[in-house]
């Protein structure tokens, strides 16, 4: 039952013409809300109608408590409004078991005052208050008194701005409409089939990509440098590590407090929009790391928000995330679902983010994730699956899909849970892509092996193709692989100085030949030797001071460009016809040979990957067509720092079977390198 407060004008009685852009709402349920069948008896369409900002209607409240309000940030939080001809701020929050909630801030001298007590407008815990005369930039919190009279000052879960750490107050923001100028990009995104387009992602941490005078660069400063760099290097997308407010730099943003607050480390929300817009102007997509599974335990944050488990699971064992020292969101609680799904759409719609990479999906879908025997309780069917978490993920992906805007959602999921990238309608979780953690782990173990011993681990390179078409995979070399003693990517490589750089080029070219979209963490593109450190910028000086780092930087630029220009490397990533082994079994020489195809036969490429520092002359390989072939890429080129075992001449296939192919080529195989052959198209 909804308590209607006419004197506060909190609930608009005439809701019949109100537009709400949410999931389809059951008409019969709406008719029963507060016996207002004559007020709310219109159909509410999910994807074509919009909530009127700042008004708190019966419908808003109903949808929020049902877990179906996907724009609840438009009425929850602190919003500048005009009520009864007075300008001020409407504060609204959810604290179901609070005894009372009081707005405090610099405008109250941080004192508890009777006139700033919020009024409970729904029996299920929505509190609201209008305060006239407040100004942009003023700080505030909610003083939340629990049922046992414990009083804690809490930040606003829906605040659009928070103070820079170590300060923790929420900040009032009078939002002005931002003038977006990226319509061309948005239209391109909506029309494109991402599965048949190039996708080469540069993952970065904004605070340590580059600094200025040993301080963070601002979003505006980054908007000048970053798009130019990404464009020059040939990446198609950037992936930002989390940009919502978080108290600890060393958490990298993965232990958040302010889900709706753009981190103030680098500037304000409009400055972030400027950065995204500049990237879009340069045809660069933007993906954001998003963490809906867990949140940090800082007292001022979401943790026990009303004095009891509110945003976290009610059951203590389920709420506690021992591995990360955090709390798990209650993914079955309707109000939490409204909070999180609204947050996903907030970033996608308000900031024109093109996609979300959802962190730690395994933690959300398994009850026993990170828990020992006896520390968890099976689901009602006796299994390990978190049924609430699975349902939440499906609802999240359906809500995003229903926007029909070409958004992508990527799962960081490390188990063999099935159908992660199958549609919800077909029994899947509904993600667009899944990180291939198996490929990453197997291949990184392999490249650390001495070249002499690699033949005993050949399966590490080939096994991923056994399950490649079970999901739509992205091949990730992320930040997690270059920290905590794991070494940088170049330093993982076996051998001396020359072999490490050769191994890096070989590994990347092999990765680009393997089906699946690509992701690489910053710093690897110029072979930084030290691990990533979030507290300092990358070692850009290496490019200027050392030939091998400069040559490696140029290699990545040319490799990325080659990737974009050759449709065989991305057009049929998820089609069985896009890849074929020529020779997967040559473990004694540690050589792989395979075909990549596009939709046109003439786009076909042949990859020869040699994982030892041995040159092979007069080496026979099978090929599918009676063509003349030429070298189109060679990682051993002198310009990349290689030994220059290149092939200058045109190669002619012979009518002789080899490797189960109808024709044969005789070639030179460069050491610790990838040779790529294509059709000689010159007349």
């Amino acid at each position: 039952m909804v308590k209607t407060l006419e004197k506060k004008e909190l609930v608009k009685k005439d809701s019949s013409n109100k537009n709400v852009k949410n999931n389809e709402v059951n008409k019969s349920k709406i008719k029963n809300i507060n016996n207002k069948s004559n007020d709310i008896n219109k159909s509410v369409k999910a994807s074509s109608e919009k909530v009127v900002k700042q008004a708190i209607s019966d419908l808003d409240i109903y949808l929020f408590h049902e877990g179906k309000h996907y724009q609840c940030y438009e009425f929850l939080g602190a919003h500048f409004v005009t009520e009864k001809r007075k300008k001020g701020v409407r504060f609204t929050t959810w604290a179901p078991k609070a005894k009372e909630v009081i707005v405090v801030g610099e405008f109250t001298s941080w004192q508890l005052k009777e006139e700033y007590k919020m009024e409970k407008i729904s029996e299920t815990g929505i509190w609201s208050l209008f305060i006239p005369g407040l100004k942009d930039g003023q700080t505030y919190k909610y003083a939340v008194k629990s049922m046992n009279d414990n009083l804690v000052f809490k930040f606003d879960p829906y605040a659009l701005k928070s103070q820079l750490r170590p300060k923790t107050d929420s900040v009032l923001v009078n939002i002005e409409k931002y003038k977006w100028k990226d319509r061309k990009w948005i239209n391109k995104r909506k029309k494109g089939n991402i599965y048949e387009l190039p996708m080469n992602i540069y993952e970065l941490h904004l605070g340590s990509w580059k600094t200025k005078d040993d301080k963070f660069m601002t979003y505006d400063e980054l908007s000048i440098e970053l798009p130019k760099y990404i464009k020059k290097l040939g990446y198609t997308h950037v992936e930002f590590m989390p940009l919502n407010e978080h108290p600890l730099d060393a958490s990298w943003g993965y232990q958040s407090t302010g889900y709706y607050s753009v981190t103030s480390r680098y500037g304000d929300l409009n400055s972030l929009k400027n950065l995204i817009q500049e990237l879009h102007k340069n045809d660069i997509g933007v993906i954001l790391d998003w963490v809906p599974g867990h949140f940090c335990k800082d007292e001022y944050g979401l943790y026990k928000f009303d004095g009891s488990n509110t945003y976290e699971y009610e059951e203590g064992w389920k709420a506690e995330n021992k591995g990360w020292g955090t709390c798990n969101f209650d993914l079955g609680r309707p109000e939490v679902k409204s909070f999180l799904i609204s947050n996903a759409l907030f970033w996608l719609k308000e900031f024109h983010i093109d996609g979300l990479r959802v962190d730690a999906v395994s933690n959300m879908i398994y009850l026993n994730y990170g828990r020992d025997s006896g520390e968890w309780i099976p689901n009602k069917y006796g299994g390990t699956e978190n049924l609430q978490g699975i349902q939440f993920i499906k609802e999240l992906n359906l809500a995003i899909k229903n926007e029909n805007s070409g958004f992508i959602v990527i799962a960081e999921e490390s188990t063999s849970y099935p159908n992660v990238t199958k549609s919800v309608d077909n029994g899947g979780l509904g993600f667009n892509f899944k990180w291939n953690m198996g490929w990453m782990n197997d291949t990184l173990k392999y490249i650390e092996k001495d070249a002499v011993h690699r033949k005993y681990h050949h399966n590490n390179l080939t096994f991923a193709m056994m399950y490649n078409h079970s999901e739509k995979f992205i091949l990730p070399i992320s930040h997690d692989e270059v920290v905590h003693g794991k070494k940088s990517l170049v330093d993982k490589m076996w051998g001396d100085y020359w072999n490490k750089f050769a191994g890096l080029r070989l590994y990347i070219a092999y990765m680009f030949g393997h089906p699946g979209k690509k992701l690489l963490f910053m710093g690897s593109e110029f072979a930084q030797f030290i691990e990533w450190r979030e507290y300092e910028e990358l070692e850009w000086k290496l490019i200027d001071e050392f030939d091998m780092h400069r040559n490696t930087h140029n290699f990545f630029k040319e490799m990325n460009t080659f990737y974009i220009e050759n449709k065989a490397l991305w057009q049929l990533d998820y089609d069985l016809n896009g890849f074929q082994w020529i020779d997967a079994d040559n473990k004694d020489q540690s050589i792989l040979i395979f075909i990549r195809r596009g939709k046109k036969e003439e786009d076909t490429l042949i990859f020869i990957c040699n994982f030892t520092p041995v040159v092979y002359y007069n080496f026979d390989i099978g090929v599918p067509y009676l063509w003349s072939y030429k070298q189109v890429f060679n990682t051993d080129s002198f310009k990349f720092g290689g030994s220059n075992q290149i092939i200058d001449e045109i190669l002619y296939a012979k009518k002789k079977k080899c490797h189960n192919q109808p024709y044969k080529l005789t070639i030179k195989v460069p050491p610790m390198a990838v040779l790529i052959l294509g059709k000689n198209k010159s007349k």
Side-chain angles (χ1 to χ4, degrees), residues 49-99:
E49 302 185 359
K50 184 175 176 63
V51 175
V52 178
K53 289 187 177 181
Q54 316 309 341
I56 306 174
S57 71
D58 286 350
L59 188 54
D60 282 323
I61 295 171
Y62 170 76
L63 290 171
F64 174 73
H65 289 309
E66 286 290 300
K68 299 295 184 183
H69 204 310
Y70 296 164
Q71 289 180 200
C72 61
Y73 58 87
E74 294 194 334
F75 78 92
L76 285 157
H79 298 278
F80 280 87
V81 294
T82 300
E83 297 190 11
K84 293 186 177 179
R85 299 182 179 179
K86 291 183 179 181
K87 293 182 178 180
V89 175
R90 164 67 61 190
F91 295 89
T92 308
T93 195
W94 174 64
K97 293 184 180 179
K99 196 170 188 179

Side-chain angles (χ1 to χ4, degrees), residues 451 454 490 493-506 527 529 548 551-552 610-615 634-645 669-674:
R454 286 179 173 176
V490 69
M493 303 296 157
W494 163 83
D496 58 16
Y497 188 76
W498 186 91
N499 274 296
K500 282 185 178 294
F501 282 90
L504 175 62
R505 298 190 303 271
L506 159 64
F529 262 100
M548 286 297 273
N551 292 338
T552 300
N610 179 9
F611 287 87
T612 67
V614 179
V615 184
N634 189 330
T635 68
D636 191 47
S637 173
F638 182 74
K639 64 182 176 180
F640 301 143
S643 65
N644 216 39
Q645 296 292 335
V669 179
M672 198 65 75
V674 171

Side-chain angles (χ1 to χ4, degrees), residues 2 4 11-20 25-45 49 56-63:
V2 176
T4 306
V11 179
K12 286 191 174 182
K13 290 186 177 182
D14 185 9
S15 300
S16 59
N17 294 320
K18 185 168 187 245
N19 294 329
V20 180
V25 179
N26 187 297
K27 296 178 185 178
S28 63
K29 287 185 178 180
I30 296 175
K31 292 178 182 179
N32 293 327
I33 303 173
N34 208 28
N35 296 319
K36 293 178 182 253
S37 59
N38 292 327
D39 293 332
I40 312 173
N41 59 6
K42 304 289 186 181
S43 62
V44 182
K45 294 186 178 179
E49 302 185 359
I56 306 174
S57 71
D58 286 350
L59 188 54
D60 282 323
I61 295 171
Y62 170 76
L63 290 171

